[in-house]
Amino acid sequence: MIVYLYGKFREKVPGYTVEDDCVLQVDTGPEETIASIMERLKILPGEVAHIFLNHQYSTPSRKVRAGDRLAIFPVEMAVLYRQYFAKYEE
Amino acid sequence: MGKFILRVNMSDLSIKKERVSEKYRVLGGRALTSTVVADEVNPTCHPLGPNNKLVFAPGIITGTNAPSSGRLSVGAKSPLTGGIKEANAGGLPAQKLARLGIHAIIVEGEPQEKGKFYVLSLAKDTAVLEEAGELTGKGMYETNELVWKKYGDGVGIIGIGPAGEMLMTNAGVSCNDPENGPGRYAGRGGLGAVMGSKGLKAIVIEQKGPGEVQIANPELFKQGQQKLTQGLLSHAVTAQALPTFGTAVLVNILNEAGGLPTRNFSSGRFAGAGKISGEVINEWAKTRGGKVGHPCHPGCVIRCSNVVNKPDGSYRVAPVEYESAWALGANCEIDDLDDVAELNRICNDVGLDTIEAGCTLGVAMEGGVIPFGDGKRAIGILKEVGYGTPVGRIIGNGTAFTAKAFGVTRVPVVKGQAMPAYEPRAVKGIGVTYATSTMGADHTAGYTVATEILSVGGKADPLATAEKGALAKAFQTSTIFIDATGYCLFIAFAVLDLPDALQGMMDTVNGVLGTNYTLEDMGRLGSEWLKLERSFNEAAGFTKQDDRLPEFMYYEKLPPHNNVYDVSDELLDSVHNG
Ligand code: SF4
């Protein structure tokens, strides 16, 4: 799967720029969740504002599979009128 | 000195100072502009004729030292929608008006000599109409510069550019920022054209110091002010995200949500989104010497505004907001932030609303006038608005008008007003607000309700519940309340999550007015004011058929979610009648 990182999470990708996509290719095991991917990337739950899995506003409990697109935004990018977004849970 | 209303008659050039009635005393901002419009304007009048009135009102709290409370509401019958309109802006003018004791300015009539413009000059105990002279025909950058030269640095300026002078229905009303940039716009709904129709080029406000703002219960006010400030300074959005990245942080977020309208609302994702994002603006502030964390008026603790510089480090524009970056960028498939910032600068100079201008360029591109993605030609065509060429006049009259002129059927408007930067097919709840707002498609009409705090909805997906009609109404009632206070709507991010901050806001209102409003009153008053606006619109000829999204959204699937808009008409009708 591909993980798109924004804000300070970009620093996890060497040579990143703010203008271009900042992506990591991550292998997924069985029973992998967004939370376990975050753990592998050393992203703490408290550092995260918004998560989108395949463009759906998601909780960390959702399962992920090969081919998924995951985007993670840090707390300092927390702006969103989130009450308008359906939140997908597992 | 108590508060007063200034009535400015442009037919005989008279200015009267009027007492504030008890009915109007407890109103401010949008509640006051809409009440005056409903009381005094015939809903069927021509918006650019002598019977429309243009009302300026600072909010209830404006002029005090409460945080982020310097908003100015501007109201009238809209020449863009044909309904009631309120648009508000920050900048210097609102606090100065309030500190002069001005509760509202009502501008009526029309000048006897067409094409002649005036400046209303205000200072302590004086209000004078002067001929605009050399300001006539000038863009807002030059206007503001000339005004500071003549009246002194630091004066507040409310003005219109050439678009407003030429009565174009996408003309906005500019307020100057602390550096005298014209970028704080009460942009939506063509209120700049109404100001132009009154022959008013600018209002200049000379005022310094804390002024004479009356606070009925200073102790309660102070408590509330502290609670709210604490909330704003502790919440992740108002203390971190907005000062760091500004609202343009949303470009990447909405793109990931598949809800960033792209290529005239034909996709929810833009490949070039990253290049026009708040993250780049933040980076440029470091490399080009612009600014983030910029307050649009003294006393804003959120400071979401920014200054975007040219590659050589010289000033280009302030601010580039999310809505503008999206409208002039993604919606036109323009991924060069310098071009987007230049388009924004032209809007500020000519006097146009950036959302309407971006949507207009989108339909013009779809109509083949210029290609999608061509920033340089978009700059050329937008400049024509200021010159008043035939194409410029078409573009200056907004999205629906331009779509008709060029035979485009994908027209992203509600009640004649262009949609902001949240695609309703991806973010369905906001579509309910776009459809049912009294203002036409307007994102600021309703996103502020504290679902948990007000015990409405409160579920993971509130808009998928049976109460979504009621919830959408609650969004709108709480928003109109904040618009009445003069607080910036962005306080809602903190107020949404922190009960103490919400109580703080209410305490400041009660402190200023000497009232005992509760949170229930917020809903009740908001409801009453919305009803007033809806009654005006009904009398102006609107029916429930106008509370709908554009037809193409019901049959064209939007990638990447591949959804159509499927919220039922019954639900939309239940928002205000449920
Ligand atoms: S938060 Fe932004 S728009 Fe609101 S008052 Fe402050 S600087 Fe102005």
Side-chain angles (χ1 to χ4, degrees), chain A residues 4-8 10 18-21 50 52 54-56 69-71 73 75-87 89, chain B residues 236-237 240-241 245 249-250 252-253 256-257 269 274-275 279-280 283 422 427 429-430 433 446-447 461-463 475 490 493 497 560-561:
Chain A
Y4 287 72
L5 298 169
Y6 292 94
K8 71 170 186 189
R10 287 178 190 266
V18 292
E19 300 190 0
D20 300 309
D21 285 342
H50 310 303
F52 292 91
N54 300 323
H55 309 299
Q56 292 172 333
R69 175 197 176 102
L70 178 65
F73 291 90
V75 168
E76 60 274 18
M77 296 179 78
V79 184
L80 186 71
Y81 312 126
R82 65 180 190 280
Q83 64 272 35
Y84 277 122
F85 288 78
K87 198 165 191 174
E89 299 176 86
Chain B
V237 175
Q240 283 184 53
F245 294 111
V249 66
L250 281 162
N252 283 332
I253 298 175
E256 283 299 346
R269 282 191 46 80
K275 295 183 174 21
E279 290 186 66
V280 178
E283 183 73 9
Y422 307 83
V427 194
I430 209 151
T433 295
Y447 59 67
D461 179 8
L463 287 154
F475 284 0
F490 292 151
F493 288 107
D497 289 337
H561 293 287

Side-chain angles (χ1 to χ4, degrees), chain B residues 71 184 294-297 300 302-305 488 490:
Chain B
R71 308 291 294 187
R184 309 310 312 189
H294 176 251
C296 78
H297 68 264
C300 176
I302 305 172
R303 300 172 290 118
C304 79
S305 183
C488 176
F490 292 151

Side-chain angles (χ1 to χ4, degrees), chain B residues 146-159:
Chain B
L146 291 167
V147 168
W148 271 26
K149 240 183 225 160
K150 177 169 175 190
Y151 296 88
D153 285 1
V155 299
I157 305 168
I158 303 167

